[in-house]
């Protein structure tokens, strides 16, 4: 019978936002990448930084060493890959060079990583919310009309209201 303490909640990274999963500095969690190769990463949220509206996100702020090639076979396959690449006499050396080309496990480029992130995620920028115009006081019988509410909603969300035929809020 499995130990209940060992049960973990598994979440689909395509459906979960990191800020909903990890909310406090000091939170530790395990991230499994590629269930076939079973890359397990133990992660710790060290800090929460305020976003800069002039910087594209997501972005890498630090790192070390090269990322193992895709489909190398998990950590055991990666170790074998590095051994074979380092030894020109290894029977797999030439095949691995033909498969991926030269590989430096110590190489790391912050600029290259951020360029890849921008290409993949089409730079997400922090959006600023436009100021809301003063509204009549509902307590005194006044209030915004439906058109004003729809324009304000459009300005914040960027999504035009259904049936809208104008080109601006």
């Amino acid at each position: 019978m499995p130990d209940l303490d060992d049960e973990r909640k598994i979440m689909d990274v395509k459906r979960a936002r990191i800020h909903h999963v990890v909310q406090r500095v000091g939170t530790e969690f395990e991230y499994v990448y590629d269930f076939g190769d079973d890359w397990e990463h133990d992660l710790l949220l060290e800090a929460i930084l305020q976003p800069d509206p002039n910087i594209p996100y997501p972005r890498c702020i630090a790192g070390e060493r090269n990322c193992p090639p895709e489909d190398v076979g998990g950590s055991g396959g990666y170790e074998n890959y590095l051994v074979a690449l380092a030894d020109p006499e290894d029977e797999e050396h030439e095949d691995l060079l033909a498969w991926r080309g030269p590989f430096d496990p110590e190489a790391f480029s912050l600029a290259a990583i951020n360029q890849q992130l921008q290409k993949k995620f089409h730079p997400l920028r922090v959006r600023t919310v436009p100021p809301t115009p003063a509204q009549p006081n509902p307590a005194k019988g006044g209030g915004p009309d439906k058109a004003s509410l729809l324009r304000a909603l459009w300005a914040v969300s960027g999504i035009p209201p259904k049936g809208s035929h104008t080109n601006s809020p």
Side-chain angles (χ1 to χ4, degrees), residues 80-92:
N80 294 337
Y81 173 78
L82 293 177
V83 167
L85 275 183
D87 180 5
E89 301 300 317
D90 188 290
E91 63 185 45
E92 293 185 55

Side-chain angles (χ1 to χ4, degrees), residues 147 150-152 154-155 158-169:
L150 288 173
R151 279 194 303 276
W154 185 2
I159 301 170
K162 283 187 175 182
S164 172
H165 298 292
T166 61
N167 291 329
S168 62

Side-chain angles (χ1 to χ4, degrees), residues 45-60:
L45 179 61
E46 294 180 344
I48 299 174
L49 307 174
Q50 293 301 313
D52 181 334
N54 299 315
I55 296 177
Y57 293 95
R59 74 181 184 121
C60 179

Side-chain angles (χ1 to χ4, degrees), residues 76-146:
Y78 182 53
E79 287 177 33
N80 294 337
Y81 173 78
L82 293 177
V83 167
L85 275 183
D87 180 5
E89 301 300 317
D90 188 290
E91 63 185 45
E92 293 185 55
H93 181 82
E94 290 301 319
D95 289 339
L96 292 175
L97 277 177
W99 175 51
R100 303 299 277 177
F103 180 80
D104 179 1
E106 298 302 321
F108 179 81
S109 168
L110 193 60
I113 296 295
N114 282 319
Q115 185 177 25
Q116 290 171 2
L117 287 169
Q118 287 181 21
K119 184 178 179 181
K120 181 173 176 92
F121 292 99
H122 309 290
L124 302 174
R125 296 209 177 261
V126 176
R127 287 181 35 166
T128 57
V129 178
T132 305
Q135 298 293 325
N137 186 343
K140 295 182 180 178
D145 62 7
K146 182 178 178 182

